Structure formats: C-alpha cells, structure tokens
Amino acid sequence: MSGSREQILARVRAALADVPSGEHPPDVEVPRDYARSHGRGGADTLVDRLEDYRAIVHRVAADALPDAVAAALQRRGSRSIVVPADLPEAWTATWTDEIGGGADMAAAGAPVLRDDGDGVGLGLGLGALDAVDGVVTGCAVAIAETGTIVLDGGEGQGRRVLTLVPDYHLCVVRADQIVDDVPDAVARLDPRRPLTWISGPSATSDIELDRVEGVHGPRTLEVLIVG
Amino acid sequence: MTGTFLGMPTFPEAARAATADAQLRHNLRKATHTIRDKRAEAVGELDDWTRLRAAGKAVKDRTLRHLDHYLEQLEASVTAAGGQVHWAADAAEANRIVTDLVRATGERELVKVKSMATQEIGLNEALEAAGITAYETDLAELIVQLGDDLPSHILVPAIHRNRAEIREIFLREMAAWGTAAPDGLTDDPRALADAARVHLREKFLSTKVAVSGANFAVAETGTLVVLESEGNGRMCLTLPETLISVVGIEKTIPTWDDLDIFLQTLPRSSTGERMNPYTSTWTGVTPGDGPQEFHLVLLDNGRSDVLADEVGRQALRCIRCSACLNICPVYERTGGHAYGSVYPGPIGAILTPQLKGTGGELEASLPYASSLCGACYEVCPVAIDIPEVLVHLREEVASAGGAGHRVEKAAMAAAEWVLDDDRRLGLAQRAVASARSLVPRRLPGPVGAWTDTRDLPDIPEESFRQWWRTREKGKRKRS
C-alpha cells in the first residue's frame, strides 16, 4: 500500500501550502499554563470520587491488609479468586486459611488461582477466568481528582485479561501511589506498557441515559486504600 | 445490516418529519438536557477550563499544520513497537485492507468497538459483502445493529430509542445473532443491560479478531488510546488474537504528555463525568498480554481536502465529544437522522460537506441546518468556531448558484430598502399587520422554497413600534 502512503502524504503537504516552509512543529506554540493539579489531592478526595462512581472503598492500616482482603472476599461470598503471579502471598493468606478445607472447596477447586503460566508462560485460560468469583490486584497509580486507578501490568497487576473477565475486582492502592491529578499520572506512567485506566465499575447510560453499573467488565469494584 | 446513509433526504425534508414526531422530540429533549447539565457541572469543577481548552486547540493546530511530519513519526513508532501500518486513501481502500487482513486470519467473524471511522467507510456492509460478520459490542451500537437502524448521536447512537422499543428489538432479534434474550425480559435498563452482557459474552470469549477505532494516536510513542464506559472496548482490545484499528489521520497528537489535556477535557465534555469508566492504551504488541498481531489503518477519505481549506481545517480538531450536539437547539428538535450523515449535529453540519464536498443536495443543505446561535462554539473543548465554518460553507454553496439563492439575494436587497428608512418600515409593518388573515402557510412563486423549509411566523396584530407608541401615548394621558 506504499502507493497510498505517498499519495496521502503528498495530498497533506499540498493542503498545507499556506504553512510557511520554515515553520517547524514547535513554532506552533502550545500554552501550557493549565493547572498540574486542581488542589484537591490525597486519599480523602480519592475516596470521595470512588464512592461517587459507586465503588466500595475502605481505608486500612498496612498490617491489617490481609484481614481486610479476607473480610472483603467473605462479604462478597467468594469461593475462588484469581491473582497475578507476583501478588504478595501475604495479601490472601488469611482468606485462604479461613476458607481452606471447607466442604465446598473440592468443587470450587483451589481458592486462589495464580496466573503463573504453569511454566510455559501461557497463563490461565478464559474458561478458568470466567469461572472464578473475582480477582485481587495492586495498581500502578491512582488519581485523586478523578477517582481513577491505573494498571500498567507491573508488579501485582498481571495481564489485562485478569481484571476484565471476572465479575468482581478487589484492588489494593498504597497511599504513596496516589497522585493529585491527571497530568501527574500521565507524567508518571510508561506509555510502552499496556495501560488500563479504571474509574468505577463498568457502566452504561445508553438506555434513556439511566446509568446502569456493569455491562461487560467487572460489575463491582472494591478498593482498599492502605496507609 | 441494510441501514445506510446513502440516499437520505436533505436536512429540511428529514427535519420536518422528525419535528412532527412527538415521542422522538420527548426522548431527545430529555437526553440532551440531562447530558448538557451534567457537562456544565463537570466543566465547572475545573477553574482552568479555558486554559485547557486553549491548550487542546493549540496541540491540535500544531498537529494539523505539520500532519505529514507527525504521520511519518506515528508510522515509525507503531512499527518499532511491533505493529503494522497501512494507508487508506479512501473508504473503498480501507475496507479492502481490513477485509484482506481478516481473511488472512482465516476467521469469518469479528467483534467491534464503537467507531465513527468504520461507520464513515461503511465497513460492516463491506465485510458482510465479503462473507464476514461484524458484531457491534457497544450497547447502543448493538441496539442499532439489531434494530437494522442507523445511529443518531456520536456518543449515544440509540438516543432516539426508548426502553420499550429496546426491549422489543432484543426479544425480536437477539436469537438470530446469538444468545437469545431471556424469557420474561422487562424494559428495566438493568435487565436490558444484563441481556446484552449474556448475549455478547460468548462472542467476546470466542472471537479471534477485533476491529476498533481510536480516540488518539500518539506520534511520539505509537500509542493508541480508546475511551469507553462499558468494558466492551477492553474486551475487544484485550481478548482477540488480532486487532485492527481504523483511525482517521487527524486523530494524531504529537506527544504522550499532550494526553493530559484531552483526558481531562474529553470525558467532561462528552458524558459529563470526571473520567469515563475505562480508558485503554496500547503501543504495538505486548508479549504475553493482549493481541499478538496489531494493524493500524490510517484513513484519509477526504480529510486532506478538509485540511486544504484554511477556514474549514479547524473541523479536524474535533475529538468527537458530542457536546455540540447536546447543546444545539436544532439537533434537540430534529435528532441525528435528519442530518443524513454519519456525523450529526453542528459538527456534522460542517464536517460532512467538507469531507464529501458541497456538490450534493444533502451536503449543500447541511450548512443551513443551524440557527448560528453559537452555543456549539461555546461548549467545544477544542474551540472549533462552528458558526464561522457554517457561514464560510454557506458562501461556498451560495456562490455555486441556484434559483433559490438569487431570490434570497433579491429579497435581502428589498429588505435593505425598507429597513433603511423609518417611514417605509412603519408603512410596511402596518400593511403586513392588516393583511395577517390573508397570509397563507406557504408563500407563492419562487419564494415558496423558503416556506417549504420553514414555518411562517404568526404575524402580530401590531408591530412593536406601534405598541410602544400607543403605550407612551397612554402614559402621557394618565400623567
């Protein structure tokens, strides 16, 4: 298709005949005097914004995290969950101890499925992900102003599919991962990684503009803010 | 799908039918007012909105003025990240490229993320002709596709349908496309959304090819960006083995950092949210995560013609937020179908005639589908002066000739003669008032064309000037 490539570029150049030949892209000035932050940062704002999206939010001390994870999964009635291969084992240890050995577990399989690719790097199949009750992950960045959590596939986050197919997403946010606003997040993130920005659970307003939570992604988002 | 915008009636004809539809006007009024109020609130939260708007405008202008440079940079970045770039001069070529890419996978079905570009080129119809079925996965697009209907809004394509109509469409059509709607389906939006979830889930989990558009393509890094709400976008962008993105050349932005402007202005302008529920970005392919084959189809299809018009070029700044539709008094009354084009509302009224030329009857009518009130310019997050472009296009249409326009010029000259002189105006007004019972609904002769497209206003018993004079006289008598 190189013919079309040259044709399109030639047409674009011809269309821009009014642009002086000496003008370079940076010569078109972009005023960057917009705010880096709107001054409403921090965990309190993040909680407020997340709850506005009807996500479930708790704040916990660092040493209470495993118990908070277990409590959330029990409230939810989860029998099995999936976690990224490198999620700290301690996060789900309490829940496993409490649920492990239960009569239903034989049917449910292992309570904690690790997406460790069973040595060949393929990870769990879609069927397995579709069958679990939820997923527990960490995150890369959380934006207070907009109530947004960003996953970048880094530590404790796993493949994109993990937080997409299960119906329930329990996400752990460390206080030091919270930034004030969108410009801070963009500056902190690596565009070469595949990014998923999450602002509340899946939602649609396509039917008479009535907001309905949950169409395809996880229909429930629960967030534990640590520290 | 048999729906098509080809051969649609001109705006005035379609608008007359639409404005007579009370149900449609009710749906539209409720929807546009809800969204515009939410938008105003979300925009009001940011005290630097005018600066964000200026920055977004400037970034887009920088890109457009040096589009050749940024397109070459984008191609290099995507290729370096493991993607393949294809160039499509027009709709036919884009459809051919996508069809060939799908055929090469051996698949006959694909899932689609809602995309204006693929609607513009009629991709679904082209694929169907090639024996490939494209499943729309956005809830509103699903409603439109199952209803064999046309979208009527950029953001909420099924805005013209109410819940009872949607229930009927689901019950009638879902079984033919896949999982049937459940028995006893009610018209509760929750139940309707659940039916769509079940219907589409089997498609997401089994389909190997996906087609998307993109909101932005970052030249510097080769990153593509899709903003959505439901998660259907994430499904299509993550689960299939092959991903094909059809992207207009004007969607390019220079750098990753430029995104911080549009990630603030686009969600607030379109759905009135601080941020849309899901945004996905990807750069080429990522081993072990998501599609392992990625194709970017760069689409011209008339965009370089728009670029050549120094006044009209600004239409290419559009980030498809649809704020201009929701604020427009004309759109509110006629709905999107009346515009007879993929891009409805004020932006459609300037974009469609530029992309396709003003030679056609429909395209020539669109620059007149506006009251020039300027509200669309006020809400535009990239400051497109839509009224300026509308007037510019009207000049183009008028200078191309036509009997209607000669009469309009003569009428304007006569009006100037009357309005120029106080005594003449008073006489003319009295003459008109005394003849008000004689005025027909349709004017005779060549000026009939004017009343074909407009309702004649009721003529008052007396002019304002007469009323004022009488009132002043009354006051003097009392005092």
Side-chain angles (χ1 to χ4, degrees), chain B residues 78 213-214 216-218 222-226 245 247 280-283 294 296:
Chain B
V78 170
F216 304 99
V218 183
T223 308
L224 278 96
V225 185
V226 165
S245 300
V247 181
S280 298
T281 78
W282 71 98
T283 305
F294 170 58
L296 170 62

Side-chain angles (χ1 to χ4, degrees), chain A residues 4-5 18 23 28 32-35 38 130 163 165 186 191 197 199 202 206 208 210-211 213 215, chain B residues 48 51 62 65-66 75 93 140 163 190 197 201 230 234 256 258 260 273-274 277 279 283 313:
Chain A
S4 292
R5 178 186 191 277
D18 62 301
E23 182 183 296
V28 185
R32 305 243 180 219
D33 54 353
Y34 54 89
H38 291 92
D130 201 21
T163 55
V165 177
V186 169
W197 298 49
S199 307
S202 160
D206 279 344
E208 296 185 23
D210 271 359
R211 189 178 168 97
E213 260 91 49
V215 190
Chain B
D48 61 336
R51 294 194 293 275
R62 171 186 287 186
R65 287 176 74 86
H66 297 278
E75 179 188 42
E93 186 174 18
R163 60 186 71 190
R190 160 98 264 160
R197 179 184 174 95
R201 193 131 180 123
E230 295 169 12
R234 291 181 65 193
W256 173 253
D258 293 326
D260 65 13
E273 294 168 298
R274 296 186 183 105
T279 298
T283 305
R313 179 183 297 165

